Amino acid sequence: MKRILGALALAMLPGVALAQTDPVEQDRLYVSDPAACQLLETKGVSAFEDLDFTTLSFEQGIQSLEFHCNFFDVKTKPGNAFTLVSAVCETPGENYPDMFSIGRYNDDTIQVTSMSDSMFSLLSDGEGAGEAEENPLPLGVTLYHRCENLSELPR
């Protein structure tokens, strides 16, 4: 009986692994706050004045009011659930290179890990510790939610 259960468990493993390797949909628009989807539909670019959020599209990179990351190289590998993106990010008065790991978090959410943000958080000597307590995700990780309702912006 143990052998049958063991064989059955091993037979199920490849199916589980394959289900987790679905690539991120690169033709969609993602936002850091789900409420931004509706605001973008009704107010367009003015939505950034009403809510503090960032957008991510593989064509336009990551954008907010005073922050932008241009994606230069987007790499995927067959059988791997993650996308590797090299970018140059800009804030007023500075720019820096960054690298992102992007993968599925659930059906309509992706997890984006910034190498620069992760490194800055390690070097910050505990600054922002209150933020870490409120956010269960590791520092440098942002969840982006797929917008389904947009009529004129990228899907």
Side-chain angles (χ1 to χ4, degrees):
M1 182 68 168
K2 287 182 182 178
R3 285 185 177 172
I4 293 172
L5 289 175
L8 186 58
L10 285 175
M12 291 174 58
L13 284 177
V16 171
L18 289 176
Q20 296 174 350
T21 60
D22 292 340
V24 170
E25 296 174 88
Q26 293 186 16
D27 63 342
R28 302 294 183 143
L29 179 71
Y30 298 89
V31 293
S32 60
D33 185 330
C37 292
Q38 185 60 37
L39 277 176
L40 284 168
E41 178 66 18
T42 58
K43 294 191 171 194
V45 178
S46 298
F48 286 102
E49 298 170 3
D50 294 347
L51 186 65
D52 185 23
F53 68 97
T54 54
T55 64
L56 182 151
S57 74
F58 284 84
E59 187 175 314
Q60 299 294 322
I62 298 174
Q63 299 181 31
S64 73
L65 223 86
E66 293 189 359
F67 174 77
H68 182 82
C69 288
N70 292 308
F71 289 0
F72 282 89
D73 194 15
V74 177
K75 293 183 181 182
T76 58
K77 185 175 181 180
N80 191 310
F82 296 96
T83 301
L84 180 66
V85 176
S86 59
V88 174
C89 299
E90 300 174 80
T91 59
E94 69 177 333
N95 64 60
Y96 57 93
D98 203 346
M99 209 163 227
F100 299 96
S101 168
I102 303 174
R104 284 192 180 277
Y105 186 77
N106 61 32
D107 287 342
D108 63 350
T109 306
I110 59 174
Q111 176 177 313
V112 179
T113 304
S114 162
M115 185 178 77
S116 293
D117 288 350
S118 297
M119 294 306 293
F120 291 146
S121 70
L122 289 173
L123 298 172
S124 69
D125 287 337
E127 289 179 26
E131 293 175 22
E133 291 171 11
E134 295 171 17
N135 184 1
L137 297 170
L139 294 172
V141 175
T142 304
L143 295 181
Y144 283 87
H145 310 273
R146 185 177 61 226
C147 288
E148 298 290 351
N149 64 320
L150 301 177
S151 58
E152 292 185 30
L153 296 171
R155 297 186 309 153

